[in-house]
Amino acid sequence: MHIVGLCAHLPVSFLSNLSLFFFNRCQSYTGPQNLMGVSEFLLLGLSEDPDLQPFLLGLFLSMYLVTMLGNLLIVLAVASDSHLHTPMYFYLSNLSLADMGFTTTTVPRMIVNTRTHSRVISYAGCLTQMSFFMLFGCLDSLLLTVMAYDRFVAICHPLHYLVIMNPRVCSLLVLVSLLTSLLVSQMHSSVVVKVAYFRDVEISHFFCDPSQLLNLACSDPSTNTIVMYCVGGISGFLPISGILFSYSKIVSCILRVSSSGGRYKAFSTCGSHLAVVCLFYGTGLGVYLSSALSLSPRKNAVASVVYTVVTPMLKPFIYSLRNRDIKRAMRRFFGQTV
């Protein structure tokens, strides 16, 4: 009867690719269990109201285009202006590329699903989306840490800045960040790949959220816990610790400056980065708290929109509106293009 009830809510095309149900026991879950090996998942999205779909389509399409355009302009402005070929702007352009990848991982799929009225995503597609989501999310976090270290060296050791942050070191720091993010992504994916059965095929999100996939998986809970702690430590605790350490040194150096004008000038060089750090980790913490306090998965999905879509869209505005060099480079780039 449980199987009939579940099948009644699934489309025929989905059922044709769904494998047989297996009445095994999932030791990590005590509720009713109809375990299944799946070839596809259902993304429930933000809302099932048909009247709301055109609004969501237009909203996410516009936010995606603004995000891609804003970050692309920063990359092109930095690449075209020789005055911006410095470590700080090198890291900024890489952060913009990571944000473009982060948004592209989730939003286009949601736009297509909304446009075609389809909620189905293949098993391979879901794992691929989850892997890239982890990759670019962790890369964002590590690049913000590297940028904090860059500001620390620039403010506290200005005479040795170009020696310490030479092109080789800059490239090495970005490469290490990328490889570490790839390790975190593969570590998380390896756990899901080994899962033979899932308790459900419905994901209460607009993308394949890693935490929800682990919750649906029938696997050893101790293994999931270990992996989550490792992933959280590498992509969360270590970057935040590095940023706090860098800014504690920066504040200490700024307080030793005698003139108020000198203190303001020193702090203004890292104001945009500090704003982005607060936005990135603040929204991430908000999503985590909302998922911990709210029992509605749909509300958690709505809250995560701020973290996955709005934050990458706002970063170019934060860096360009407060930075005269970026604005001058953009004007020069547009002048050359026209």
Side-chain angles (χ1 to χ4, degrees):
M1 292 301 293
H2 292 294
I3 297 176
V4 175
L6 177 62
C7 292
H9 292 86
L10 297 177
V12 176
S13 61
F14 180 77
L15 288 173
S16 63
N17 294 319
L18 189 65
S19 61
L20 295 176
F21 286 80
F22 297 89
F23 293 94
N24 297 340
R25 295 296 299 172
C26 184
Q27 302 300 325
S28 61
Y29 184 65
T30 58
Q33 301 185 42
N34 283 331
L35 304 184
M36 63 195 81
V38 301
S39 60
E40 292 173 332
F41 290 96
L42 285 176
L43 298 175
L44 299 185
L46 298 176
S47 174
E48 297 179 358
D49 185 358
D51 297 333
L52 198 59
Q53 301 309 309
F55 170 75
L56 292 176
L57 177 64
L59 178 64
F60 277 84
L61 179 60
S62 60
M63 288 195 297
Y64 178 68
L65 293 177
V66 170
T67 301
M68 298 301 289
L69 180 61
N71 284 286
L72 182 61
L73 284 177
I74 286 184
V75 173
L76 294 176
V78 172
S80 63
D81 194 332
S82 59
H83 297 91
L84 299 184
H85 293 174
T86 62
M88 181 176 70
Y89 294 109
F90 172 72
Y91 296 134
L92 177 58
S93 60
N94 279 277
L95 181 67
S96 295
L97 290 173
D99 282 333
M100 291 169 68
F102 187 64
T103 306
T104 302
T105 300
T106 58
V107 178
R109 180 75 199 194
M110 180 192 178
I111 293 174
V112 172
N113 287 353
T114 305
R115 180 69 181 84
T116 59
H117 307 286
S118 172
R119 300 178 184 273
V120 176
I121 184 172
S122 66
Y123 176 83
C126 189
L127 258 62
T128 302
Q129 187 182 61
M130 181 195 68
S131 298
F132 279 105
F133 178 81
M134 294 293 298
L135 171 65
F136 289 116
C138 184
L139 183 59
D140 249 13
S141 182
L142 293 175
L143 285 177
L144 287 175
T145 308
V146 172
M147 294 173 75
Y149 174 71
D150 172 75
R151 293 298 83 205
F152 157 68
V153 176
I155 294 175
C156 299
H157 305 282
L159 299 179
H160 302 91
Y161 175 64
L162 294 179
V163 176
I164 297 175
M165 304 301 292
N166 59 71
R168 183 185 177 191
V169 171
C170 293
S171 302
L172 182 62
L173 288 175
V174 172
L175 180 61
V176 169
S177 299
L178 179 60
L179 293 178
T180 304
S181 303
L182 186 61
L183 173 64
V184 169
S185 173
Q186 293 307 306
M187 185 187 307
H188 200 287
S189 299
S190 63
V191 176
V192 180
V193 167
K194 293 179 182 179
V195 175
Y197 306 109
F198 290 85
R199 296 196 308 270
D200 201 350
V201 295
E202 293 185 344
I203 301 176
S204 301
H205 223 299
F206 63 92
F207 67 95
C208 289
D209 182 50
S211 61
Q212 290 206 24
L213 269 182
L214 281 182
N215 289 335
L216 294 177
C218 179
S219 58
D220 185 6
S222 61
T223 303
N224 294 351
T225 302
I226 293 173
V227 171
M228 292 304 294
Y229 274 119
C230 291
V231 170
I234 297 174
S235 61
F237 177 75
L238 290 180
I240 291 176
S241 299
I243 292 172
L244 291 177
F245 173 80
S246 296
Y247 272 102
S248 66
K249 294 294 184 180
I250 289 173
V251 171
S252 177
C253 291
I254 291 177
L255 291 179
R256 289 200 295 265
V257 177
S258 57
S259 65
S260 59
R263 286 195 295 269
Y264 174 79
K265 183 178 180 180
F267 188 75
S268 63
T269 61
C270 55
S272 297
H273 175 262
L274 188 59
V276 168
V277 167
C278 293
L279 178 66
F280 181 80
Y281 288 106
T283 53
L285 180 62
V287 171
Y288 174 79
L289 292 177
S290 67
S291 62
L293 299 177
S294 175
L295 299 177
S296 172
R298 188 61 59 83
K299 290 183 179 179
N300 299 338
V302 174
S304 67
V305 171
V306 180
Y307 179 73
T308 57
V309 183
V310 177
T311 298
M313 181 183 68
L314 293 180
K315 286 181 184 178
F317 292 100
I318 295 175
Y319 276 109
S320 60
L321 293 178
R322 291 179 51 87
N323 194 307
R324 287 177 294 181
D325 294 332
I326 290 290
K327 288 189 286 187
R328 184 168 57 248
M330 285 186 177
R331 285 195 296 266
R332 189 179 293 114
F333 172 75
F334 281 121
Q336 293 174 351
T337 304
V338 174

